[in-house]
Amino acid sequence: MPSRQTQAETQDPAQDGGLWETLPAGIRAQVDGYVLQDRLLPAVKLVWDAGRARGIGLHDAETVVHERYVFHGDKIARTPESPLDLESLAALAGGLPGRVVAVEAVWDGDTVHDWFVNLLAITDGPAEERHLATVYSRRGRDPAEAAAEAGRALADHLGVPFHFAGPDTPDEEAPRWRP
């Protein structure tokens, strides 16, 4: 009698070149568990670790996991969106060690979320960058526009400069803020 696979265990092999099907059923179930919890990195690591002997590289693992995100869609318990209201951002910035000397927005991206913007507080004593929010392109929102608006408001509130190099074009290599 042939084994029965659930719909969640299968996907269109044209999307990932059939790599999903090369993974053992237990690994596929665990990957889907991570995906449904919106735990991208553990899912990618698991596919890469379990698939390495089958010729699955890191990029392939990212593609396989991306396709599982597409497959599960609205069933995924998405990580809550970062608050962008001034009161929340000011509370986060106020709890940082050191003095905030600038607020910066920087582009980042991955295979699941595409391009997104991280909002950072730059501090002195210790001189560090601290994550305040991640702005994804959800609900038709332009992440650059939303991050710039929130970042400018926070910077004005704190009386520090705001920096966002290249808000019109995603670029992980854009020049960073310098004092």
Side-chain angles (χ1 to χ4, degrees):
M1 174 180 239
S3 67
R4 290 187 57 178
Q5 293 180 321
T6 66
Q7 186 178 6
E9 293 176 324
T10 62
Q11 74 180 37
D12 179 3
Q15 299 298 314
D16 71 357
L19 295 175
W20 177 248
E21 290 299 322
T22 68
L23 297 170
I27 298 297
R28 292 193 311 257
Q30 188 175 8
V31 167
D32 276 346
Y34 283 140
V35 167
L36 289 167
Q37 295 173 11
D38 199 17
R39 296 187 61 207
L40 171 67
L41 294 179
V44 170
K45 184 177 183 326
L46 180 59
V47 171
W48 189 29
D49 288 348
R52 207 172 293 148
R54 293 168 166 82
I56 296 176
L58 179 57
H59 178 71
D60 294 330
E62 290 172 335
T63 300
V64 167
V65 171
H66 170 73
E67 291 303 320
R68 299 315 292 165
Y69 268 81
V70 170
F71 177 82
H72 288 295
D74 290 340
K75 293 185 279 183
I76 298 169
R78 296 283 181 180
T79 302
E81 292 189 33
S82 297
L84 295 178
D85 62 284
L86 179 57
E87 183 180 11
S88 296
L89 291 173
L92 291 169
L96 297 175
R99 181 176 61 97
V100 176
V101 296
V103 176
E104 184 173 30
V106 296
W107 285 104
D108 200 353
D110 62 37
T111 57
V112 171
H113 301 102
D114 198 17
W115 287 104
F116 52 90
V117 179
N118 287 314
L119 197 58
L120 308 171
I122 311 300
T123 63
D124 66 0
E128 297 180 332
E129 60 182 47
R130 299 294 187 123
H131 180 267
L132 296 173
T134 301
V135 186
Y136 298 104
S137 180
R138 293 188 181 158
R139 298 185 188 105
R141 166 177 71 178
D142 177 4
E145 189 177 294
E149 182 180 324
R152 276 191 201 93
L154 178 61
D156 289 347
H157 175 77
L158 298 174
V160 299
F162 173 70
H163 181 259
F164 191 176
D168 298 327
T169 306
D171 182 2
E172 292 175 308
E173 302 299 322
R176 299 291 306 272
W177 182 82
R178 300 283 180 249

PDB file of all heavy atoms in Angstrom, residues 7 18 22 28 39 41 68 79 83 106 126 157 169:
ATOM      1  N   GLN A   7      -1.077  17.095   2.265  1.00  0.00           N
ATOM      2  CA  GLN A   7      -0.824  18.174   1.314  1.00  0.00           C
ATOM      3  C   GLN A   7       0.335  19.042   1.793  1.00  0.00           C
ATOM      4  O   GLN A   7       1.128  19.519   0.991  1.00  0.00           O
ATOM      5  CB  GLN A   7      -2.074  19.022   1.126  1.00  0.00           C
ATOM      6  CG  GLN A   7      -1.926  20.066   0.046  1.00  0.00           C
ATOM      7  CD  GLN A   7      -3.204  20.852  -0.154  1.00  0.00           C
ATOM      8  OE1 GLN A   7      -4.166  20.699   0.578  1.00  0.00           O
ATOM      9  NE2 GLN A   7      -3.200  21.687  -1.164  1.00  0.00           N
ATOM     10  N   GLY A  18      12.283  19.977  -6.860  1.00  0.00           N
ATOM     11  CA  GLY A  18      12.061  18.674  -6.236  1.00  0.00           C
ATOM     12  C   GLY A  18      12.865  18.438  -4.977  1.00  0.00           C
ATOM     13  O   GLY A  18      12.852  17.326  -4.445  1.00  0.00           O
ATOM     14  N   THR A  22      13.133  15.339  -1.466  1.00  0.00           N
ATOM     15  CA  THR A  22      14.318  14.534  -1.130  1.00  0.00           C
ATOM     16  C   THR A  22      14.557  14.474   0.370  1.00  0.00           C
ATOM     17  O   THR A  22      15.333  13.642   0.828  1.00  0.00           O
ATOM     18  CB  THR A  22      15.593  15.093  -1.812  1.00  0.00           C
ATOM     19  OG1 THR A  22      15.928  16.355  -1.232  1.00  0.00           O
ATOM     20  CG2 THR A  22      15.401  15.215  -3.311  1.00  0.00           C
ATOM     21  N   ARG A  28      10.763  17.182   7.011  1.00  0.00           N
ATOM     22  CA  ARG A  28       9.744  18.037   6.382  1.00  0.00           C
ATOM     23  C   ARG A  28       8.723  18.501   7.413  1.00  0.00           C
ATOM     24  O   ARG A  28       8.318  19.672   7.419  1.00  0.00           O
ATOM     25  CB  ARG A  28       9.061  17.302   5.229  1.00  0.00           C
ATOM     26  CG  ARG A  28       9.993  17.052   4.048  1.00  0.00           C
ATOM     27  CD  ARG A  28       9.270  16.619   2.792  1.00  0.00           C
ATOM     28  NE  ARG A  28       8.326  15.539   2.983  1.00  0.00           N
ATOM     29  CZ  ARG A  28       8.530  14.262   2.656  1.00  0.00           C
ATOM     30  NH1 ARG A  28       9.662  13.882   2.124  1.00  0.00           N
ATOM     31  NH2 ARG A  28       7.599  13.359   2.862  1.00  0.00           N
ATOM     32  N   ARG A  39       9.552  30.953  12.025  1.00  0.00           N
ATOM     33  CA  ARG A  39      10.930  30.828  12.502  1.00  0.00           C
ATOM     34  C   ARG A  39      11.819  30.482  11.311  1.00  0.00           C
ATOM     35  O   ARG A  39      12.199  29.338  11.107  1.00  0.00           O
ATOM     36  CB  ARG A  39      11.001  29.795  13.605  1.00  0.00           C
ATOM     37  CG  ARG A  39      10.177  30.243  14.827  1.00  0.00           C
ATOM     38  CD  ARG A  39      10.328  29.350  16.015  1.00  0.00           C
ATOM     39  NE  ARG A  39      11.726  29.336  16.446  1.00  0.00           N
ATOM     40  CZ  ARG A  39      12.267  28.304  17.076  1.00  0.00           C
ATOM     41  NH1 ARG A  39      11.555  27.241  17.374  1.00  0.00           N
ATOM     42  NH2 ARG A  39      13.543  28.343  17.431  1.00  0.00           N
ATOM     43  N   LEU A  41      15.040  31.257  10.296  1.00  0.00           N
ATOM     44  CA  LEU A  41      16.423  30.764  10.394  1.00  0.00           C
ATOM     45  C   LEU A  41      16.519  29.313  10.856  1.00  0.00           C
ATOM     46  O   LEU A  41      17.278  28.542  10.254  1.00  0.00           O
ATOM     47  CB  LEU A  41      17.259  31.691  11.270  1.00  0.00           C
ATOM     48  CG  LEU A  41      17.465  33.091  10.677  1.00  0.00           C
ATOM     49  CD1 LEU A  41      18.281  33.966  11.619  1.00  0.00           C
ATOM     50  CD2 LEU A  41      18.111  33.024   9.311  1.00  0.00           C
ATOM     51  N   ARG A  68       7.901  26.906   1.260  1.00  0.00           N
ATOM     52  CA  ARG A  68       7.019  26.457   2.347  1.00  0.00           C
ATOM     53  C   ARG A  68       6.244  27.662   2.910  1.00  0.00           C
ATOM     54  O   ARG A  68       5.078  27.539   3.261  1.00  0.00           O
ATOM     55  CB  ARG A  68       7.803  25.752   3.455  1.00  0.00           C
ATOM     56  CG  ARG A  68       8.535  24.490   2.995  1.00  0.00           C
ATOM     57  CD  ARG A  68       7.708  23.575   2.123  1.00  0.00           C
ATOM     58  NE  ARG A  68       6.610  22.962   2.853  1.00  0.00           N
ATOM     59  CZ  ARG A  68       5.575  22.347   2.281  1.00  0.00           C
ATOM     60  NH1 ARG A  68       5.470  22.268   0.969  1.00  0.00           N
ATOM     61  NH2 ARG A  68       4.630  21.821   3.018  1.00  0.00           N
ATOM     62  N   THR A  79       5.354  36.815  12.911  1.00  0.00           N
ATOM     63  CA  THR A  79       5.952  37.620  13.959  1.00  0.00           C
ATOM     64  C   THR A  79       5.241  38.965  13.966  1.00  0.00           C
ATOM     65  O   THR A  79       5.029  39.553  12.905  1.00  0.00           O
ATOM     66  CB  THR A  79       7.455  37.797  13.671  1.00  0.00           C
ATOM     67  OG1 THR A  79       8.060  36.505  13.587  1.00  0.00           O
ATOM     68  CG2 THR A  79       8.128  38.628  14.749  1.00  0.00           C
ATOM     69  N   PRO A  83       6.222  48.086  16.518  1.00  0.00           N
ATOM     70  CA  PRO A  83       5.470  49.330  16.658  1.00  0.00           C
ATOM     71  C   PRO A  83       6.277  50.492  16.077  1.00  0.00           C
ATOM     72  O   PRO A  83       7.492  50.562  16.265  1.00  0.00           O
ATOM     73  CB  PRO A  83       5.289  49.474  18.165  1.00  0.00           C
ATOM     74  CG  PRO A  83       6.399  48.681  18.769  1.00  0.00           C
ATOM     75  CD  PRO A  83       6.693  47.572  17.796  1.00  0.00           C
ATOM     76  N   VAL A 106      18.097  51.557   7.686  1.00  0.00           N
ATOM     77  CA  VAL A 106      18.960  50.847   6.743  1.00  0.00           C
ATOM     78  C   VAL A 106      18.189  49.711   6.078  1.00  0.00           C
ATOM     79  O   VAL A 106      17.368  49.047   6.711  1.00  0.00           O
ATOM     80  CB  VAL A 106      20.239  50.294   7.416  1.00  0.00           C
ATOM     81  CG1 VAL A 106      21.116  51.411   7.928  1.00  0.00           C
ATOM     82  CG2 VAL A 106      19.907  49.339   8.543  1.00  0.00           C
ATOM     83  N   PRO A 126      27.951  52.795  25.468  1.00  0.00           N
ATOM     84  CA  PRO A 126      28.831  52.247  24.439  1.00  0.00           C
ATOM     85  C   PRO A 126      28.412  52.693  23.028  1.00  0.00           C
ATOM     86  O   PRO A 126      27.232  52.881  22.751  1.00  0.00           O
ATOM     87  CB  PRO A 126      28.647  50.731  24.578  1.00  0.00           C
ATOM     88  CG  PRO A 126      27.250  50.563  25.088  1.00  0.00           C
ATOM     89  CD  PRO A 126      26.990  51.784  25.943  1.00  0.00           C
ATOM     90  N   HIS A 157      12.046  64.103  18.114  1.00  0.00           N
ATOM     91  CA  HIS A 157      11.691  64.010  19.531  1.00  0.00           C
ATOM     92  C   HIS A 157      12.939  63.982  20.411  1.00  0.00           C
ATOM     93  O   HIS A 157      12.968  64.595  21.482  1.00  0.00           O
ATOM     94  CB  HIS A 157      10.840  62.753  19.757  1.00  0.00           C
ATOM     95  CG  HIS A 157      10.510  62.474  21.175  1.00  0.00           C
ATOM     96  ND1 HIS A 157       9.544  63.165  21.874  1.00  0.00           N
ATOM     97  CD2 HIS A 157      11.030  61.570  22.050  1.00  0.00           C
ATOM     98  CE1 HIS A 157       9.475  62.700  23.108  1.00  0.00           C
ATOM     99  NE2 HIS A 157      10.371  61.734  23.238  1.00  0.00           N
ATOM    100  N   THR A 169      15.786  53.400  -3.162  1.00  0.00           N
ATOM    101  CA  THR A 169      16.309  52.196  -3.799  1.00  0.00           C
ATOM    102  C   THR A 169      16.903  51.268  -2.744  1.00  0.00           C
ATOM    103  O   THR A 169      17.853  51.654  -2.060  1.00  0.00           O
ATOM    104  CB  THR A 169      17.406  52.556  -4.821  1.00  0.00           C
ATOM    105  OG1 THR A 169      16.882  53.511  -5.732  1.00  0.00           O
ATOM    106  CG2 THR A 169      17.873  51.324  -5.571  1.00  0.00           C
TER     107      THR A 169
END
